[in-house]
Amino acid sequence: MSSPRMREIVDAIRARQRFVLSSHARPDGDSIGSQLAMTYALRALGKEVAVVNADAAPPPLMQFPGVPEITVAPAVDGTYDAAIIMECSDLARTGVSGLDRSFVINIDHHPGNTGYGQINWFDSTAAACGEMVFDLIRALGVPLSRDIATHIYLAILTDTGSFHYSSISPRTFDICREALEAGVDPVLVARNVYDSNNMGRLKLFGAVLSEMQIDQTGRIAIVYLDHAMARDAGGTYEDTEGLINLPLTVKEIQAVVFFKQVEGDEYRVSLRSKGDIDIGGVAKEFGGGGHKNASGCTVTGAIDALQKLFIEKIEAAIGVRV
Ligand code: 5GP
Ligand code: MN
């Protein structure tokens, strides 16, 4: 799909040589896949590319081409002709400083993007930012190499929650079909993403799920993790990737809230919901954001009071009367 914004980005890229790419802190499959697909495409055009992220990719994603070479740093060094920021509703979400010294190209599919770039392209109908990157790469006239296709497929597979979420469209499958025709092995991608856990991760899942609480309506699962629990289970916070989706596999559960202690009274909150329940709206009330079915925020307070507050807001989002 072509859009005037995308044509502007094509022209801006053609006119420039040195690029820095970034995405949000604690990168996921869509942020990694979008950045690396873009990297390989720009290199195919003879451009110089650096990728700078605030945090390392989760260990399973390290198995994909180019991911171990990503620079993990809190700031960019040097000057670039343009910074391409993908998957970030505001520039601070990168956790990387100095990106605004360059011409900023903002590519995102999150509703509520603040439009911080010199060029801003959003498409909240895209199931993954990787769908937008696919279109851009096509518009740049770069053939779909196996590495590019693998990263596009990784972005879509992970951001749709393995084809579970409502943003999936016929285009999603058109792009995946093209990715497979370009040589992607979907079995290998899925195995790398989902079947390369360490034992500490499994034990951590067990510890967190055994402490899970259910609200009085029976529709909301509350999960919690602090540093002591992680240490006792032999896992790390990075190992919790994907854990939040497990309570949703129970038929009655409509939404999940996951509190992860940062330090003291500060908590990272991840939220997930099924179907029409707008959990992004709940995160927004607490200064965060995200999508209808997947969102997050950071909050400070006593955990019991926070849990009560979130349950009230989520019950309101579900529309239950108690
Ligand atoms: P996660 O639970 O995986 O950390 O986040 C799920 C989704 O919620 C992310 O893909 C992102 O779209 C959004 N999100 C998470 N945390 C924040 C936040 O602090 N601010 C904003 N604006 N969005 C967030
Ligand atoms: Mn995404």
PDB file of all heavy atoms in Angstrom, residues 24 28-31 34 86-87 108-110 126-130 155 158-160 291, ligand 2:
ATOM      1  N   HIS A  24      11.960   1.031  20.666  1.00  0.00           N
ATOM      2  CA  HIS A  24      11.723   1.218  22.097  1.00  0.00           C
ATOM      3  C   HIS A  24      12.650   0.401  22.998  1.00  0.00           C
ATOM      4  O   HIS A  24      13.208  -0.615  22.582  1.00  0.00           O
ATOM      5  CB  HIS A  24      10.257   0.966  22.460  1.00  0.00           C
ATOM      6  CG  HIS A  24       9.714  -0.365  22.059  1.00  0.00           C
ATOM      7  ND1 HIS A  24       9.978  -1.516  22.756  1.00  0.00           N
ATOM      8  CD2 HIS A  24       8.913  -0.722  21.033  1.00  0.00           C
ATOM      9  CE1 HIS A  24       9.332  -2.519  22.178  1.00  0.00           C
ATOM     10  NE2 HIS A  24       8.690  -2.069  21.119  1.00  0.00           N
ATOM     11  N   ASP A  28      11.067  -5.836  21.513  1.00  0.00           N
ATOM     12  CA  ASP A  28      10.347  -7.087  21.293  1.00  0.00           C
ATOM     13  C   ASP A  28      10.553  -7.522  19.835  1.00  0.00           C
ATOM     14  O   ASP A  28      11.362  -6.933  19.112  1.00  0.00           O
ATOM     15  CB  ASP A  28       8.866  -6.918  21.649  1.00  0.00           C
ATOM     16  CG  ASP A  28       8.195  -5.832  20.822  1.00  0.00           C
ATOM     17  OD1 ASP A  28       8.760  -5.391  19.798  1.00  0.00           O
ATOM     18  OD2 ASP A  28       7.073  -5.418  21.196  1.00  0.00           O
ATOM     19  N   GLY A  29       9.824  -8.534  19.426  1.00  0.00           N
ATOM     20  CA  GLY A  29      10.017  -9.077  18.078  1.00  0.00           C
ATOM     21  C   GLY A  29       9.720  -8.074  16.982  1.00  0.00           C
ATOM     22  O   GLY A  29      10.393  -8.062  15.949  1.00  0.00           O
ATOM     23  N   ASP A  30       8.721  -7.225  17.196  1.00  0.00           N
ATOM     24  CA  ASP A  30       8.385  -6.234  16.160  1.00  0.00           C
ATOM     25  C   ASP A  30       9.458  -5.149  16.080  1.00  0.00           C
ATOM     26  O   ASP A  30       9.851  -4.731  14.988  1.00  0.00           O
ATOM     27  CB  ASP A  30       7.005  -5.622  16.450  1.00  0.00           C
ATOM     28  CG  ASP A  30       6.458  -4.819  15.271  1.00  0.00           C
ATOM     29  OD1 ASP A  30       6.923  -5.029  14.133  1.00  0.00           O
ATOM     30  OD2 ASP A  30       5.539  -4.002  15.502  1.00  0.00           O
ATOM     31  N   SER A  31       9.944  -4.694  17.239  1.00  0.00           N
ATOM     32  CA  SER A  31      10.956  -3.637  17.179  1.00  0.00           C
ATOM     33  C   SER A  31      12.261  -4.166  16.586  1.00  0.00           C
ATOM     34  O   SER A  31      12.879  -3.506  15.750  1.00  0.00           O
ATOM     35  CB  SER A  31      11.179  -2.996  18.550  1.00  0.00           C
ATOM     36  OG  SER A  31      11.343  -3.949  19.550  1.00  0.00           O
ATOM     37  N   SER A  34      11.550  -5.071  12.717  1.00  0.00           N
ATOM     38  CA  SER A  34      11.413  -3.861  11.892  1.00  0.00           C
ATOM     39  C   SER A  34      12.768  -3.188  11.675  1.00  0.00           C
ATOM     40  O   SER A  34      13.095  -2.770  10.557  1.00  0.00           O
ATOM     41  CB  SER A  34      10.460  -2.864  12.568  1.00  0.00           C
ATOM     42  OG  SER A  34       9.154  -3.400  12.624  1.00  0.00           O
ATOM     43  N   MET A  86      11.357   3.432  14.851  1.00  0.00           N
ATOM     44  CA  MET A  86      10.210   2.588  14.580  1.00  0.00           C
ATOM     45  C   MET A  86       9.580   2.105  15.879  1.00  0.00           C
ATOM     46  O   MET A  86      10.288   1.831  16.842  1.00  0.00           O
ATOM     47  CB  MET A  86      10.657   1.388  13.728  1.00  0.00           C
ATOM     48  CG  MET A  86      10.871   1.811  12.277  1.00  0.00           C
ATOM     49  SD  MET A  86      11.841   0.630  11.323  1.00  0.00           S
ATOM     50  CE  MET A  86      13.458   1.010  11.946  1.00  0.00           C
ATOM     51  N   GLU A  87       8.228   2.028  15.901  1.00  0.00           N
ATOM     52  CA  GLU A  87       7.553   1.403  17.053  1.00  0.00           C
ATOM     53  C   GLU A  87       7.536   2.266  18.301  1.00  0.00           C
ATOM     54  O   GLU A  87       7.389   1.740  19.398  1.00  0.00           O
ATOM     55  CB  GLU A  87       8.288   0.110  17.434  1.00  0.00           C
ATOM     56  CG  GLU A  87       7.821  -1.125  16.747  1.00  0.00           C
ATOM     57  CD  GLU A  87       6.643  -1.726  17.472  1.00  0.00           C
ATOM     58  OE1 GLU A  87       6.806  -2.310  18.544  1.00  0.00           O
ATOM     59  OE2 GLU A  87       5.541  -1.572  16.934  1.00  0.00           O
ATOM     60  N   ASP A 108       5.394   4.197  12.803  1.00  0.00           N
ATOM     61  CA  ASP A 108       4.781   3.549  13.962  1.00  0.00           C
ATOM     62  C   ASP A 108       3.346   3.114  13.664  1.00  0.00           C
ATOM     63  O   ASP A 108       2.679   3.689  12.803  1.00  0.00           O
ATOM     64  CB  ASP A 108       4.793   4.525  15.141  1.00  0.00           C
ATOM     65  CG  ASP A 108       4.364   3.870  16.455  1.00  0.00           C
ATOM     66  OD1 ASP A 108       4.440   2.640  16.570  1.00  0.00           O
ATOM     67  OD2 ASP A 108       3.940   4.618  17.359  1.00  0.00           O
ATOM     68  N   HIS A 109       2.884   2.130  14.412  1.00  0.00           N
ATOM     69  CA  HIS A 109       1.489   1.688  14.274  1.00  0.00           C
ATOM     70  C   HIS A 109       0.714   1.819  15.594  1.00  0.00           C
ATOM     71  O   HIS A 109      -0.380   1.268  15.706  1.00  0.00           O
ATOM     72  CB  HIS A 109       1.425   0.252  13.726  1.00  0.00           C
ATOM     73  CG  HIS A 109       1.884  -0.812  14.668  1.00  0.00           C
ATOM     74  ND1 HIS A 109       1.173  -1.970  14.886  1.00  0.00           N
ATOM     75  CD2 HIS A 109       2.971  -0.901  15.456  1.00  0.00           C
ATOM     76  CE1 HIS A 109       1.829  -2.734  15.751  1.00  0.00           C
ATOM     77  NE2 HIS A 109       2.921  -2.105  16.114  1.00  0.00           N
ATOM     78  N   HIS A 110       1.295   2.507  16.578  1.00  0.00           N
ATOM     79  CA  HIS A 110       0.583   2.666  17.853  1.00  0.00           C
ATOM     80  C   HIS A 110      -0.360   3.865  17.806  1.00  0.00           C
ATOM     81  O   HIS A 110       0.072   4.961  17.460  1.00  0.00           O
ATOM     82  CB  HIS A 110       1.577   2.904  18.995  1.00  0.00           C
ATOM     83  CG  HIS A 110       2.442   1.724  19.260  1.00  0.00           C
ATOM     84  ND1 HIS A 110       3.682   1.576  18.709  1.00  0.00           N
ATOM     85  CD2 HIS A 110       2.225   0.637  20.018  1.00  0.00           C
ATOM     86  CE1 HIS A 110       4.204   0.434  19.127  1.00  0.00           C
ATOM     87  NE2 HIS A 110       3.334  -0.153  19.915  1.00  0.00           N
ATOM     88  N   ALA A 126      -2.039  -1.359  10.827  1.00  0.00           N
ATOM     89  CA  ALA A 126      -0.984  -2.365  10.595  1.00  0.00           C
ATOM     90  C   ALA A 126      -0.903  -3.294  11.807  1.00  0.00           C
ATOM     91  O   ALA A 126      -0.865  -2.834  12.943  1.00  0.00           O
ATOM     92  CB  ALA A 126       0.360  -1.686  10.360  1.00  0.00           C
ATOM     93  N   ALA A 127      -0.855  -4.599  11.553  1.00  0.00           N
ATOM     94  CA  ALA A 127      -0.789  -5.576  12.648  1.00  0.00           C
ATOM     95  C   ALA A 127       0.570  -5.533  13.340  1.00  0.00           C
ATOM     96  O   ALA A 127       0.697  -5.933  14.491  1.00  0.00           O
ATOM     97  CB  ALA A 127      -1.072  -6.973  12.123  1.00  0.00           C
ATOM     98  N   ALA A 128       1.571  -5.065  12.614  1.00  0.00           N
ATOM     99  CA  ALA A 128       2.921  -4.914  13.179  1.00  0.00           C
ATOM    100  C   ALA A 128       3.568  -3.751  12.450  1.00  0.00           C
ATOM    101  O   ALA A 128       3.217  -3.467  11.296  1.00  0.00           O
ATOM    102  CB  ALA A 128       3.741  -6.178  12.961  1.00  0.00           C
ATOM    103  N   CYS A 129       4.516  -3.108  13.095  1.00  0.00           N
ATOM    104  CA  CYS A 129       5.286  -2.080  12.399  1.00  0.00           C
ATOM    105  C   CYS A 129       5.987  -2.729  11.200  1.00  0.00           C
ATOM    106  O   CYS A 129       6.183  -2.099  10.164  1.00  0.00           O
ATOM    107  CB  CYS A 129       6.291  -1.480  13.382  1.00  0.00           C
ATOM    108  SG  CYS A 129       7.087  -0.013  12.775  1.00  0.00           S
ATOM    109  N   GLY A 130       6.317  -4.011  11.351  1.00  0.00           N
ATOM    110  CA  GLY A 130       6.955  -4.757  10.261  1.00  0.00           C
ATOM    111  C   GLY A 130       6.145  -4.754   8.966  1.00  0.00           C
ATOM    112  O   GLY A 130       6.716  -4.825   7.881  1.00  0.00           O
ATOM    113  N   ALA A 155       8.576 -10.012  13.007  1.00  0.00           N
ATOM    114  CA  ALA A 155       7.813  -8.875  13.519  1.00  0.00           C
ATOM    115  C   ALA A 155       6.323  -9.198  13.556  1.00  0.00           C
ATOM    116  O   ALA A 155       5.635  -8.962  14.560  1.00  0.00           O
ATOM    117  CB  ALA A 155       8.072  -7.639  12.646  1.00  0.00           C
ATOM    118  N   THR A 158       5.313 -12.210  16.080  1.00  0.00           N
ATOM    119  CA  THR A 158       5.334 -11.855  17.506  1.00  0.00           C
ATOM    120  C   THR A 158       4.309 -10.780  17.835  1.00  0.00           C
ATOM    121  O   THR A 158       3.641 -10.863  18.857  1.00  0.00           O
ATOM    122  CB  THR A 158       6.744 -11.412  17.947  1.00  0.00           C
ATOM    123  OG1 THR A 158       7.187 -10.345  17.103  1.00  0.00           O
ATOM    124  CG2 THR A 158       7.721 -12.558  17.868  1.00  0.00           C
ATOM    125  N   ASP A 159       4.157  -9.779  16.960  1.00  0.00           N
ATOM    126  CA  ASP A 159       3.253  -8.677  17.313  1.00  0.00           C
ATOM    127  C   ASP A 159       1.781  -9.052  17.187  1.00  0.00           C
ATOM    128  O   ASP A 159       0.922  -8.384  17.760  1.00  0.00           O
ATOM    129  CB  ASP A 159       3.550  -7.425  16.484  1.00  0.00           C
ATOM    130  CG  ASP A 159       3.817  -6.226  17.382  1.00  0.00           C
ATOM    131  OD1 ASP A 159       4.430  -6.423  18.450  1.00  0.00           O
ATOM    132  OD2 ASP A 159       3.405  -5.099  17.036  1.00  0.00           O
ATOM    133  N   THR A 160       1.496 -10.115  16.436  1.00  0.00           N
ATOM    134  CA  THR A 160       0.103 -10.584  16.397  1.00  0.00           C
ATOM    135  C   THR A 160      -0.121 -11.639  17.475  1.00  0.00           C
ATOM    136  O   THR A 160      -1.199 -12.251  17.519  1.00  0.00           O
ATOM    137  CB  THR A 160      -0.257 -11.213  15.030  1.00  0.00           C
ATOM    138  OG1 THR A 160       0.628 -12.321  14.786  1.00  0.00           O
ATOM    139  CG2 THR A 160      -0.174 -10.215  13.900  1.00  0.00           C
ATOM    140  N   HIS A 291      -1.845  -0.642  22.621  1.00  0.00           N
ATOM    141  CA  HIS A 291      -2.910  -1.037  21.695  1.00  0.00           C
ATOM    142  C   HIS A 291      -4.160  -1.454  22.471  1.00  0.00           C
ATOM    143  O   HIS A 291      -4.120  -1.587  23.685  1.00  0.00           O
ATOM    144  CB  HIS A 291      -2.460  -2.217  20.845  1.00  0.00           C
ATOM    145  CG  HIS A 291      -1.135  -2.038  20.190  1.00  0.00           C
ATOM    146  ND1 HIS A 291      -0.973  -1.464  18.955  1.00  0.00           N
ATOM    147  CD2 HIS A 291       0.105  -2.346  20.620  1.00  0.00           C
ATOM    148  CE1 HIS A 291       0.301  -1.436  18.634  1.00  0.00           C
ATOM    149  NE2 HIS A 291       0.990  -1.969  19.637  1.00  0.00           N
TER     150      HIS A 291
HETATM  151 MN    MN B   2       4.501  -3.327  17.297  1.00  0.00          MN
END
